[in-house]
PDB file of all heavy atoms in Angstrom:
ATOM      1  N   ASP A  37      -3.978   6.260 -11.038  1.00  0.00           N
ATOM      2  CA  ASP A  37      -3.939   6.851  -9.705  1.00  0.00           C
ATOM      3  C   ASP A  37      -5.106   6.276  -8.895  1.00  0.00           C
ATOM      4  O   ASP A  37      -6.245   6.698  -9.044  1.00  0.00           O
ATOM      5  CB  ASP A  37      -4.054   8.371  -9.801  1.00  0.00           C
ATOM      6  CG  ASP A  37      -3.956   9.065  -8.463  1.00  0.00           C
ATOM      7  OD1 ASP A  37      -4.141   8.423  -7.407  1.00  0.00           O
ATOM      8  OD2 ASP A  37      -3.698  10.285  -8.453  1.00  0.00           O
ATOM      9  N   PHE A  38      -4.797   5.285  -8.052  1.00  0.00           N
ATOM     10  CA  PHE A  38      -5.861   4.631  -7.283  1.00  0.00           C
ATOM     11  C   PHE A  38      -6.581   5.610  -6.366  1.00  0.00           C
ATOM     12  O   PHE A  38      -7.792   5.511  -6.182  1.00  0.00           O
ATOM     13  CB  PHE A  38      -5.297   3.470  -6.468  1.00  0.00           C
ATOM     14  CG  PHE A  38      -4.992   2.268  -7.303  1.00  0.00           C
ATOM     15  CD1 PHE A  38      -3.694   1.865  -7.509  1.00  0.00           C
ATOM     16  CD2 PHE A  38      -6.010   1.552  -7.903  1.00  0.00           C
ATOM     17  CE1 PHE A  38      -3.410   0.759  -8.285  1.00  0.00           C
ATOM     18  CE2 PHE A  38      -5.746   0.439  -8.685  1.00  0.00           C
ATOM     19  CZ  PHE A  38      -4.436   0.048  -8.885  1.00  0.00           C
ATOM     20  N   ASN A  39      -5.879   6.542  -5.777  1.00  0.00           N
ATOM     21  CA  ASN A  39      -6.542   7.505  -4.893  1.00  0.00           C
ATOM     22  C   ASN A  39      -7.568   8.334  -5.648  1.00  0.00           C
ATOM     23  O   ASN A  39      -8.677   8.549  -5.174  1.00  0.00           O
ATOM     24  CB  ASN A  39      -5.518   8.412  -4.215  1.00  0.00           C
ATOM     25  CG  ASN A  39      -4.717   7.664  -3.187  1.00  0.00           C
ATOM     26  OD1 ASN A  39      -5.253   6.857  -2.444  1.00  0.00           O
ATOM     27  ND2 ASN A  39      -3.424   7.902  -3.157  1.00  0.00           N
ATOM     28  N   ARG A  40      -7.226   8.779  -6.837  1.00  0.00           N
ATOM     29  CA  ARG A  40      -8.158   9.581  -7.635  1.00  0.00           C
ATOM     30  C   ARG A  40      -9.296   8.724  -8.183  1.00  0.00           C
ATOM     31  O   ARG A  40     -10.453   9.128  -8.181  1.00  0.00           O
ATOM     32  CB  ARG A  40      -7.400  10.241  -8.786  1.00  0.00           C
ATOM     33  CG  ARG A  40      -8.310  11.066  -9.710  1.00  0.00           C
ATOM     34  CD  ARG A  40      -7.648  11.382 -11.038  1.00  0.00           C
ATOM     35  NE  ARG A  40      -7.426  10.140 -11.771  1.00  0.00           N
ATOM     36  CZ  ARG A  40      -6.337   9.883 -12.488  1.00  0.00           C
ATOM     37  NH1 ARG A  40      -5.373  10.755 -12.579  1.00  0.00           N
ATOM     38  NH2 ARG A  40      -6.213   8.731 -13.123  1.00  0.00           N
ATOM     39  N   ASP A  41      -8.958   7.527  -8.653  1.00  0.00           N
ATOM     40  CA  ASP A  41      -9.935   6.703  -9.354  1.00  0.00           C
ATOM     41  C   ASP A  41     -10.847   5.897  -8.438  1.00  0.00           C
ATOM     42  O   ASP A  41     -11.956   5.555  -8.815  1.00  0.00           O
ATOM     43  CB  ASP A  41      -9.213   5.736 -10.298  1.00  0.00           C
ATOM     44  CG  ASP A  41      -8.426   6.482 -11.372  1.00  0.00           C
ATOM     45  OD1 ASP A  41      -8.760   7.649 -11.665  1.00  0.00           O
ATOM     46  OD2 ASP A  41      -7.474   5.889 -11.916  1.00  0.00           O
ATOM     47  N   MET A  42     -10.393   5.555  -7.238  1.00  0.00           N
ATOM     48  CA  MET A  42     -11.152   4.647  -6.378  1.00  0.00           C
ATOM     49  C   MET A  42     -11.660   5.274  -5.087  1.00  0.00           C
ATOM     50  O   MET A  42     -12.565   4.736  -4.474  1.00  0.00           O
ATOM     51  CB  MET A  42     -10.284   3.435  -6.021  1.00  0.00           C
ATOM     52  CG  MET A  42      -9.923   2.596  -7.224  1.00  0.00           C
ATOM     53  SD  MET A  42      -8.746   1.274  -6.888  1.00  0.00           S
ATOM     54  CE  MET A  42      -9.550   0.348  -5.629  1.00  0.00           C
ATOM     55  N   ILE A  43     -11.096   6.370  -4.664  1.00  0.00           N
ATOM     56  CA  ILE A  43     -11.413   6.933  -3.356  1.00  0.00           C
ATOM     57  C   ILE A  43     -12.170   8.251  -3.518  1.00  0.00           C
ATOM     58  O   ILE A  43     -11.612   9.240  -3.976  1.00  0.00           O
ATOM     59  CB  ILE A  43     -10.120   7.186  -2.534  1.00  0.00           C
ATOM     60  CG1 ILE A  43      -9.217   5.958  -2.522  1.00  0.00           C
ATOM     61  CG2 ILE A  43     -10.454   7.682  -1.141  1.00  0.00           C
ATOM     62  CD1 ILE A  43      -9.791   4.742  -1.850  1.00  0.00           C
ATOM     63  N   LYS A  44     -13.441   8.266  -3.142  1.00  0.00           N
ATOM     64  CA  LYS A  44     -14.240   9.495  -3.224  1.00  0.00           C
ATOM     65  C   LYS A  44     -14.126  10.344  -1.955  1.00  0.00           C
ATOM     66  O   LYS A  44     -14.232  11.551  -2.000  1.00  0.00           O
ATOM     67  CB  LYS A  44     -15.700   9.146  -3.472  1.00  0.00           C
ATOM     68  CG  LYS A  44     -15.974   8.598  -4.853  1.00  0.00           C
ATOM     69  CD  LYS A  44     -17.449   8.660  -5.147  1.00  0.00           C
ATOM     70  CE  LYS A  44     -17.907   8.032  -6.380  1.00  0.00           C
ATOM     71  NZ  LYS A  44     -17.274   8.077  -7.580  1.00  0.00           N
ATOM     72  N   HIS A  45     -13.931   9.708  -0.817  1.00  0.00           N
ATOM     73  CA  HIS A  45     -13.852  10.405   0.474  1.00  0.00           C
ATOM     74  C   HIS A  45     -12.563   9.992   1.190  1.00  0.00           C
ATOM     75  O   HIS A  45     -12.609   9.141   2.082  1.00  0.00           O
ATOM     76  CB  HIS A  45     -15.070  10.066   1.339  1.00  0.00           C
ATOM     77  CG  HIS A  45     -16.375  10.306   0.651  1.00  0.00           C
ATOM     78  ND1 HIS A  45     -17.172   9.277   0.195  1.00  0.00           N
ATOM     79  CD2 HIS A  45     -17.014  11.453   0.326  1.00  0.00           C
ATOM     80  CE1 HIS A  45     -18.246   9.785  -0.379  1.00  0.00           C
ATOM     81  NE2 HIS A  45     -18.180  11.100  -0.313  1.00  0.00           N
ATOM     82  N   PRO A  46     -11.421  10.561   0.808  1.00  0.00           N
ATOM     83  CA  PRO A  46     -10.133  10.113   1.354  1.00  0.00           C
ATOM     84  C   PRO A  46     -10.054  10.133   2.874  1.00  0.00           C
ATOM     85  O   PRO A  46      -9.484   9.227   3.484  1.00  0.00           O
ATOM     86  CB  PRO A  46      -9.116  11.079   0.749  1.00  0.00           C
ATOM     87  CG  PRO A  46      -9.797  11.733  -0.387  1.00  0.00           C
ATOM     88  CD  PRO A  46     -11.268  11.651  -0.144  1.00  0.00           C
ATOM     89  N   GLU A  47     -10.642  11.150   3.486  1.00  0.00           N
ATOM     90  CA  GLU A  47     -10.565  11.263   4.947  1.00  0.00           C
ATOM     91  C   GLU A  47     -11.406  10.220   5.673  1.00  0.00           C
ATOM     92  O   GLU A  47     -11.237   9.984   6.861  1.00  0.00           O
ATOM     93  CB  GLU A  47     -10.970  12.675   5.397  1.00  0.00           C
ATOM     94  CG  GLU A  47     -12.435  13.021   5.175  1.00  0.00           C
ATOM     95  CD  GLU A  47     -12.865  13.246   3.722  1.00  0.00           C
ATOM     96  OE1 GLU A  47     -12.008  13.461   2.844  1.00  0.00           O
ATOM     97  OE2 GLU A  47     -14.083  13.195   3.472  1.00  0.00           O
ATOM     98  N   ALA A  48     -12.302   9.560   4.942  1.00  0.00           N
ATOM     99  CA  ALA A  48     -13.199   8.577   5.555  1.00  0.00           C
ATOM    100  C   ALA A  48     -13.039   7.187   4.945  1.00  0.00           C
ATOM    101  O   ALA A  48     -13.900   6.336   5.127  1.00  0.00           O
ATOM    102  CB  ALA A  48     -14.645   9.044   5.402  1.00  0.00           C
ATOM    103  N   THR A  49     -11.952   6.957   4.218  1.00  0.00           N
ATOM    104  CA  THR A  49     -11.764   5.680   3.539  1.00  0.00           C
ATOM    105  C   THR A  49     -10.617   4.908   4.170  1.00  0.00           C
ATOM    106  O   THR A  49      -9.550   5.458   4.431  1.00  0.00           O
ATOM    107  CB  THR A  49     -11.511   5.905   2.037  1.00  0.00           C
ATOM    108  OG1 THR A  49     -12.642   6.590   1.488  1.00  0.00           O
ATOM    109  CG2 THR A  49     -11.331   4.592   1.309  1.00  0.00           C
ATOM    110  N   PHE A  50     -10.873   3.637   4.409  1.00  0.00           N
ATOM    111  CA  PHE A  50      -9.913   2.747   5.059  1.00  0.00           C
ATOM    112  C   PHE A  50      -9.883   1.438   4.280  1.00  0.00           C
ATOM    113  O   PHE A  50     -10.706   1.207   3.412  1.00  0.00           O
ATOM    114  CB  PHE A  50     -10.346   2.467   6.502  1.00  0.00           C
ATOM    115  CG  PHE A  50     -10.455   3.717   7.321  1.00  0.00           C
ATOM    116  CD1 PHE A  50     -11.622   4.457   7.328  1.00  0.00           C
ATOM    117  CD2 PHE A  50      -9.374   4.151   8.066  1.00  0.00           C
ATOM    118  CE1 PHE A  50     -11.723   5.616   8.073  1.00  0.00           C
ATOM    119  CE2 PHE A  50      -9.462   5.311   8.817  1.00  0.00           C
ATOM    120  CZ  PHE A  50     -10.635   6.042   8.814  1.00  0.00           C
ATOM    121  N   TYR A  51      -8.947   0.588   4.615  1.00  0.00           N
ATOM    122  CA  TYR A  51      -8.944  -0.737   4.026  1.00  0.00           C
ATOM    123  C   TYR A  51      -8.687  -1.769   5.103  1.00  0.00           C
ATOM    124  O   TYR A  51      -8.173  -1.474   6.167  1.00  0.00           O
ATOM    125  CB  TYR A  51      -7.931  -0.855   2.882  1.00  0.00           C
ATOM    126  CG  TYR A  51      -6.489  -0.855   3.318  1.00  0.00           C
ATOM    127  CD1 TYR A  51      -5.837  -2.062   3.594  1.00  0.00           C
ATOM    128  CD2 TYR A  51      -5.776   0.320   3.443  1.00  0.00           C
ATOM    129  CE1 TYR A  51      -4.514  -2.071   3.994  1.00  0.00           C
ATOM    130  CE2 TYR A  51      -4.448   0.319   3.846  1.00  0.00           C
ATOM    131  CZ  TYR A  51      -3.821  -0.872   4.114  1.00  0.00           C
ATOM    132  OH  TYR A  51      -2.523  -0.885   4.520  1.00  0.00           O
ATOM    133  N   GLY A  52      -9.098  -2.986   4.815  1.00  0.00           N
ATOM    134  CA  GLY A  52      -8.878  -4.087   5.736  1.00  0.00           C
ATOM    135  C   GLY A  52      -8.687  -5.371   4.959  1.00  0.00           C
ATOM    136  O   GLY A  52      -9.172  -5.498   3.837  1.00  0.00           O
ATOM    137  N   ARG A  53      -7.987  -6.299   5.551  1.00  0.00           N
ATOM    138  CA  ARG A  53      -7.753  -7.598   4.920  1.00  0.00           C
ATOM    139  C   ARG A  53      -8.793  -8.588   5.429  1.00  0.00           C
ATOM    140  O   ARG A  53      -9.047  -8.691   6.620  1.00  0.00           O
ATOM    141  CB  ARG A  53      -6.348  -8.094   5.225  1.00  0.00           C
ATOM    142  CG  ARG A  53      -5.969  -9.284   4.365  1.00  0.00           C
ATOM    143  CD  ARG A  53      -4.489  -9.601   4.431  1.00  0.00           C
ATOM    144  NE  ARG A  53      -3.628  -8.509   4.062  1.00  0.00           N
ATOM    145  CZ  ARG A  53      -3.247  -8.203   2.821  1.00  0.00           C
ATOM    146  NH1 ARG A  53      -3.700  -8.910   1.813  1.00  0.00           N
ATOM    147  NH2 ARG A  53      -2.428  -7.213   2.581  1.00  0.00           N
ATOM    148  N   VAL A  54      -9.414  -9.323   4.517  1.00  0.00           N
ATOM    149  CA  VAL A  54     -10.482 -10.268   4.843  1.00  0.00           C
ATOM    150  C   VAL A  54      -9.889 -11.512   5.494  1.00  0.00           C
ATOM    151  O   VAL A  54      -8.908 -12.074   5.019  1.00  0.00           O
ATOM    152  CB  VAL A  54     -11.279 -10.639   3.578  1.00  0.00           C
ATOM    153  CG1 VAL A  54     -12.308 -11.711   3.877  1.00  0.00           C
ATOM    154  CG2 VAL A  54     -11.930  -9.401   2.984  1.00  0.00           C
ATOM    155  N   ASP A  55     -10.525 -11.929   6.571  1.00  0.00           N
ATOM    156  CA  ASP A  55     -10.145 -13.152   7.276  1.00  0.00           C
ATOM    157  C   ASP A  55     -11.359 -14.069   7.276  1.00  0.00           C
ATOM    158  O   ASP A  55     -12.378 -13.754   7.882  1.00  0.00           O
ATOM    159  CB  ASP A  55      -9.725 -12.808   8.704  1.00  0.00           C
ATOM    160  CG  ASP A  55      -9.315 -14.031   9.509  1.00  0.00           C
ATOM    161  OD1 ASP A  55      -8.922 -15.041   8.906  1.00  0.00           O
ATOM    162  OD2 ASP A  55      -9.401 -13.960  10.752  1.00  0.00           O
ATOM    163  N   GLY A  56     -11.278 -15.177   6.556  1.00  0.00           N
ATOM    164  CA  GLY A  56     -12.389 -16.124   6.508  1.00  0.00           C
ATOM    165  C   GLY A  56     -13.015 -16.211   5.135  1.00  0.00           C
ATOM    166  O   GLY A  56     -12.654 -15.474   4.218  1.00  0.00           O
ATOM    167  N   ASP A  57     -14.001 -17.103   5.006  1.00  0.00           N
ATOM    168  CA  ASP A  57     -14.616 -17.354   3.705  1.00  0.00           C
ATOM    169  C   ASP A  57     -16.132 -17.168   3.699  1.00  0.00           C
ATOM    170  O   ASP A  57     -16.821 -17.690   2.837  1.00  0.00           O
ATOM    171  CB  ASP A  57     -14.257 -18.757   3.221  1.00  0.00           C
ATOM    172  CG  ASP A  57     -14.820 -19.863   4.103  1.00  0.00           C
ATOM    173  OD1 ASP A  57     -15.323 -19.568   5.202  1.00  0.00           O
ATOM    174  OD2 ASP A  57     -14.755 -21.039   3.684  1.00  0.00           O
ATOM    175  N   SER A  58     -16.645 -16.389   4.621  1.00  0.00           N
ATOM    176  CA  SER A  58     -18.100 -16.238   4.713  1.00  0.00           C
ATOM    177  C   SER A  58     -18.704 -15.420   3.573  1.00  0.00           C
ATOM    178  O   SER A  58     -19.917 -15.419   3.394  1.00  0.00           O
ATOM    179  CB  SER A  58     -18.502 -15.615   6.055  1.00  0.00           C
ATOM    180  OG  SER A  58     -18.138 -14.255   6.106  1.00  0.00           O
ATOM    181  N   MET A  59     -17.869 -14.755   2.772  1.00  0.00           N
ATOM    182  CA  MET A  59     -18.385 -13.944   1.657  1.00  0.00           C
ATOM    183  C   MET A  59     -17.927 -14.476   0.300  1.00  0.00           C
ATOM    184  O   MET A  59     -17.977 -13.774  -0.705  1.00  0.00           O
ATOM    185  CB  MET A  59     -17.941 -12.480   1.841  1.00  0.00           C
ATOM    186  CG  MET A  59     -18.448 -11.847   3.120  1.00  0.00           C
ATOM    187  SD  MET A  59     -20.249 -11.847   3.254  1.00  0.00           S
ATOM    188  CE  MET A  59     -20.661 -10.589   2.065  1.00  0.00           C
ATOM    189  N   ILE A  60     -17.519 -15.721   0.264  1.00  0.00           N
ATOM    190  CA  ILE A  60     -16.920 -16.303  -0.936  1.00  0.00           C
ATOM    191  C   ILE A  60     -17.864 -16.310  -2.138  1.00  0.00           C
ATOM    192  O   ILE A  60     -17.422 -16.164  -3.281  1.00  0.00           O
ATOM    193  CB  ILE A  60     -16.360 -17.717  -0.642  1.00  0.00           C
ATOM    194  CG1 ILE A  60     -15.385 -18.155  -1.734  1.00  0.00           C
ATOM    195  CG2 ILE A  60     -17.467 -18.722  -0.437  1.00  0.00           C
ATOM    196  CD1 ILE A  60     -14.104 -17.400  -1.760  1.00  0.00           C
ATOM    197  N   ASP A  61     -19.166 -16.462  -1.934  1.00  0.00           N
ATOM    198  CA  ASP A  61     -20.098 -16.478  -3.067  1.00  0.00           C
ATOM    199  C   ASP A  61     -20.277 -15.101  -3.705  1.00  0.00           C
ATOM    200  O   ASP A  61     -20.877 -14.983  -4.768  1.00  0.00           O
ATOM    201  CB  ASP A  61     -21.456 -17.043  -2.649  1.00  0.00           C
ATOM    202  CG  ASP A  61     -21.407 -18.549  -2.425  1.00  0.00           C
ATOM    203  OD1 ASP A  61     -20.365 -19.171  -2.727  1.00  0.00           O
ATOM    204  OD2 ASP A  61     -22.404 -19.110  -1.935  1.00  0.00           O
ATOM    205  N   LEU A  62     -19.758 -14.059  -3.074  1.00  0.00           N
ATOM    206  CA  LEU A  62     -19.708 -12.724  -3.677  1.00  0.00           C
ATOM    207  C   LEU A  62     -18.282 -12.396  -4.119  1.00  0.00           C
ATOM    208  O   LEU A  62     -17.926 -11.243  -4.309  1.00  0.00           O
ATOM    209  CB  LEU A  62     -20.226 -11.659  -2.699  1.00  0.00           C
ATOM    210  CG  LEU A  62     -21.725 -11.686  -2.458  1.00  0.00           C
ATOM    211  CD1 LEU A  62     -22.122 -10.678  -1.389  1.00  0.00           C
ATOM    212  CD2 LEU A  62     -22.479 -11.406  -3.745  1.00  0.00           C
ATOM    213  N   SER A  63     -17.468 -13.431  -4.246  1.00  0.00           N
ATOM    214  CA  SER A  63     -16.074 -13.322  -4.698  1.00  0.00           C
ATOM    215  C   SER A  63     -15.188 -12.514  -3.760  1.00  0.00           C
ATOM    216  O   SER A  63     -14.208 -11.922  -4.184  1.00  0.00           O
ATOM    217  CB  SER A  63     -16.012 -12.732  -6.115  1.00  0.00           C
ATOM    218  OG  SER A  63     -16.651 -13.592  -7.022  1.00  0.00           O
ATOM    219  N   ILE A  64     -15.530 -12.500  -2.488  1.00  0.00           N
ATOM    220  CA  ILE A  64     -14.662 -11.888  -1.482  1.00  0.00           C
ATOM    221  C   ILE A  64     -14.054 -13.045  -0.703  1.00  0.00           C
ATOM    222  O   ILE A  64     -14.746 -13.753   0.024  1.00  0.00           O
ATOM    223  CB  ILE A  64     -15.448 -10.944  -0.549  1.00  0.00           C
ATOM    224  CG1 ILE A  64     -16.082  -9.816  -1.372  1.00  0.00           C
ATOM    225  CG2 ILE A  64     -14.525 -10.381   0.526  1.00  0.00           C
ATOM    226  CD1 ILE A  64     -16.987  -8.898  -0.570  1.00  0.00           C
ATOM    227  N   ALA A  65     -12.750 -13.224  -0.886  1.00  0.00           N
ATOM    228  CA  ALA A  65     -12.069 -14.388  -0.335  1.00  0.00           C
ATOM    229  C   ALA A  65     -11.086 -13.981   0.760  1.00  0.00           C
ATOM    230  O   ALA A  65     -10.716 -12.810   0.882  1.00  0.00           O
ATOM    231  CB  ALA A  65     -11.323 -15.120  -1.453  1.00  0.00           C
TER     232      ALA A  65
END
Side-chain angles (χ1 to χ4, degrees):
D37 183 342
F38 285 112
N39 289 319
R40 178 196 65 219
D41 298 337
M42 296 173 57
I43 310 296
K44 290 196 187 320
H45 307 107
E47 68 288 343
T49 300
F50 301 86
Y51 71 91
R53 192 167 303 274
V54 175
D55 180 24
D57 65 349
S58 71
M59 300 301 287
I60 197 69
D61 287 353
L62 288 175
S63 297
I64 299 175

